[in-house]
Amino acid sequence: MRLSLLGCVLLAGCVGSEVFVLRNPATGEIKECRAEGARNSFFPIAQAMIDNSTAASCARGYQAAGWQKMN
């Protein structure tokens, strides 16, 4: 039991968050799409998935408006 709990804690530290950098080709303006989720979440893996989905949705919206991904 302790080993599985330790494994979950270690795995939770490996979950990264996505950041999308976009540029408006007309003005050169730069925008970062990222989500700032709860840092002390009881469910860090689920929170990271929600944050990444939010960031991707933000990026899709800017791309639909003509912005270009830089990364």
Side-chain angles (χ1 to χ4, degrees), residues 48-58 60:
M49 291 174 65
I50 292 167
D51 290 348
N52 290 341
S53 176
T54 301
S57 178
C58 169
R60 282 192 303 273

Side-chain angles (χ1 to χ4, degrees), residues 17-39:
S17 61
E18 294 183 17
V19 177
F20 298 93
V21 181
L22 300 109
R23 184 178 68 80
N24 183 330
T27 65
E29 182 181 355
I30 303 291
K31 171 68 179 168
E32 281 190 4
C33 287
R34 69 172 69 212
E36 299 296 331
R39 295 291 169 219

Side-chain angles (χ1 to χ4, degrees), residues 4-5 19 29 31 40 43 52 60 62 65 69-70:
S4 63
L5 179 60
V19 177
E29 182 181 355
K31 171 68 179 168
N40 295 325
F43 305 101
N52 290 341
R60 282 192 303 273
Y62 277 97
K69 279 174 60 172
M70 295 182 60

